[in-house]
Amino acid sequence: MMRTNDLILRTTTILIAFILLAFSIYLFLAGHNAPGGGFIGGLMTAAAIVLMYMTYGYDQVNKIIPINFRYLIPVGLLIAVLTGSGSFLFDEPFMSQTFAHLHHVPIFGEMELATAMLFDLGVYLTVVGITLTIILSIANDQ
């Protein structure tokens, strides 16, 4: 078996995956007030994980991230539907959202929490689950 010299790829993947994951978290958190959100954040996370699969191989990444990504799809959908339906408890129309300001949060200072972020979390998990399930199913097809 001939081993390829992929030291540069393995080294840069660590840095690139970290940058992609950090940027996806930023996009996710900024999404309810600015462009971004669960969809693009989920795609960026999936891209980082696919890069790790391409570089290190299926078995190595599954040891580090032992998640069946198919389970993220129903969990994300459930979160999104429950978030939208939660407005019925307060006699508001479906998908109504609200927010609150928190003062004096340690490390972060003043923060704004919005129910739209919970919906974005559902979208984020669903997109990561669907994207990785499709890509890994195609990649493992023999």
Side-chain angles (χ1 to χ4, degrees), residues 12-119:
T12 56
T13 295
I14 295 169
L15 178 65
I16 293 169
F18 176 77
I19 292 170
L20 284 173
L21 288 171
F23 191 59
S24 73
I25 291 170
Y26 166 75
L27 287 172
F28 169 71
L29 293 175
H32 63 282
N33 285 334
F39 186 78
I40 191 64
L43 286 178
M44 295 278 299
T45 299
I49 295 172
V50 166
L51 177 63
M52 289 189 286
Y53 273 111
M54 288 172 36
T55 303
Y56 298 108
Y58 187 80
D59 294 330
Q60 285 293 106
V61 176
N62 277 345
K63 288 179 186 175
I64 297 168
I65 308 173
I67 297 172
N68 185 347
F69 294 104
R70 290 181 181 167
Y71 294 134
L72 292 180
I73 301 167
V75 170
L77 288 173
L78 184 66
I79 291 171
V81 168
L82 289 177
T83 303
S85 301
S87 59
F88 292 144
L89 295 174
F90 301 101
D91 200 28
E92 295 288 330
F94 182 68
M95 296 291 287
S96 295
Q97 66 111 11
T98 186
F99 64 94
H101 287 283
L102 299 177
H103 303 286
H104 309 297
V105 177
I107 299 174
F108 297 108
E110 184 176 332
M111 283 183 60
E112 177 183 295
L113 292 179
T115 56
M117 186 178 285
L118 293 174
F119 180 78

